[in-house]
Amino acid sequence: MSTYKLIYFDLRGKGELARLILTYQGQEYEDSRFSMDQWPEIKPKMPFGQVPVLEVDGKMFSESVAINNFLARKFGLYGSTDFEMVEVDQVVGITQDMWKVIVDWVHENDETKKAALQKENEEKNFPKYLDFFEKILKTNDTGFYVGNQLSYADLAVFDALDIEVPDSVVDRFPLVKANRERVRTNDKLKDYIASRKEATV
């Protein structure tokens, strides 16, 4: 039986999707969180000086995408056919594009520029990506992004929407909204989701 340890800041950010995958699977793991003040001490101990890091049986792995892909494959959440796998990758790729605009907003220190980026995200960027998701859900017609059961794709979109996308934007896309609620109320996830801290990138 393998042992898992996820090392990340005490916030959601780039570590949360791995937590969601592990929680959905019912896999026990050590959720090793630390504060910003502790980071200078921890950073030199990480493989590439960054987090999240997943430790499996004492072996450390870095890069959030690699970690999430590994866990999704390991626990059967990556689709059951080659076509489903590329469909999962397609959805996850869109969420990564969303993360880019979110991170640009987070890292902007000029308040005027930050406000402009937020306006652009809410009026242009987020609706564009959610429209992609809506079309995928409509085409698949199962309530899930890929196949007929919850997968890595659903968890990745839930995670991306959960950070800075206002409900007023999500409400315009009924299939996306319904899928998000399906994830939020999943028996394997609902207690963990309900007990989390407020979202922080």
Side-chain angles (χ1 to χ4, degrees), residues 21 48 67 91 95 100 108-109 112 118 164 172 189:
I21 295 170
F48 308 124
I67 289 168
V91 172
T95 68
K100 289 176 185 176
E108 179 55 64
N109 294 319
T112 300
Q118 182 175 0
E164 292 294 339
R172 293 159 51 188
L189 293 168

Side-chain angles (χ1 to χ4, degrees), residues 85-134:
M85 289 176 188
V86 75
E87 287 171 347
V88 168
D89 283 336
Q90 177 178 251
V91 172
V92 173
I94 297 170
T95 68
Q96 290 166 5
D97 290 341
M98 285 185 64
W99 270 103
K100 289 176 185 176
V101 302
I102 292 170
V103 170
D104 286 346
W105 173 79
V106 169
H107 289 167
E108 179 55 64
N109 294 319
D110 183 290
E111 290 303 320
T112 300
K113 292 180 181 178
K114 194 179 188 77
L117 285 175
Q118 182 175 0
K119 186 173 188 292
E120 181 180 9
N121 283 344
E122 293 184 8
E123 294 182 358
K124 179 182 176 182
N125 293 326
F126 293 155
K128 177 181 72 174
Y129 298 130
L130 267 64
D131 186 55
F132 294 159
F133 295 143
E134 189 82 0

Side-chain angles (χ1 to χ4, degrees), residues 13-31:
K14 289 292 187 178
E16 190 65 10
L17 182 49
R19 294 183 187 125
L20 289 169
I21 295 170
L22 288 160
T23 300
Y24 179 75
Q25 177 62 22
Q27 174 62 55
E28 290 187 10
Y29 72 102
E30 181 181 346
D31 190 7

Side-chain angles (χ1 to χ4, degrees), residues 55-201:
E55 189 175 304
V56 184
D57 297 333
K59 186 174 178 62
M60 288 183 165
F61 301 95
S62 192
E63 294 294 339
S64 60
V65 174
I67 289 168
N68 297 331
N69 289 354
F70 165 77
L71 291 173
R73 287 193 299 268
K74 176 77 174 176
F75 298 133
L77 297 175
Y78 221 127
S80 57
T81 68
D82 288 343
F83 282 123
E84 286 191 353
M85 289 176 188
V86 75
E87 287 171 347
V88 168
D89 283 336
Q90 177 178 251
V91 172
V92 173
I94 297 170
T95 68
Q96 290 166 5
D97 290 341
M98 285 185 64
W99 270 103
K100 289 176 185 176
V101 302
I102 292 170
V103 170
D104 286 346
W105 173 79
V106 169
H107 289 167
E108 179 55 64
N109 294 319
D110 183 290
E111 290 303 320
T112 300
K113 292 180 181 178
K114 194 179 188 77
L117 285 175
Q118 182 175 0
K119 186 173 188 292
E120 181 180 9
N121 283 344
E122 293 184 8
E123 294 182 358
K124 179 182 176 182
N125 293 326
F126 293 155
K128 177 181 72 174
Y129 298 130
L130 267 64
D131 186 55
F132 294 159
F133 295 143
E134 189 82 0
K135 289 175 180 175
I136 292 169
L137 286 166
K138 185 175 182 180
T139 299
N140 195 40
D141 197 29
T142 65
F144 300 101
Y145 288 98
V146 178
N148 59 4
Q149 58 187 354
L150 189 145
S151 74
Y152 177 26
D154 302 283
L155 295 176
V157 175
F158 178 83
D159 183 51
L161 295 180
D162 216 30
I163 300 296
E164 292 294 339
V165 183
D167 287 344
S168 60
V169 176
V170 179
D171 288 346
R172 293 159 51 188
F173 301 91
L175 298 180
V176 174
K177 182 179 180 180
N179 176 269
R180 183 179 69 170
E181 190 61 19
R182 187 172 284 110
V183 174
R184 191 193 310 278
T185 59
N186 182 278
D187 286 342
K188 298 178 181 179
L189 293 168
K190 61 183 181 182
D191 289 343
Y192 171 75
I193 290 170
S195 68
R196 298 186 303 177
K197 293 183 177 182
E198 290 298 316
T200 307
V201 175

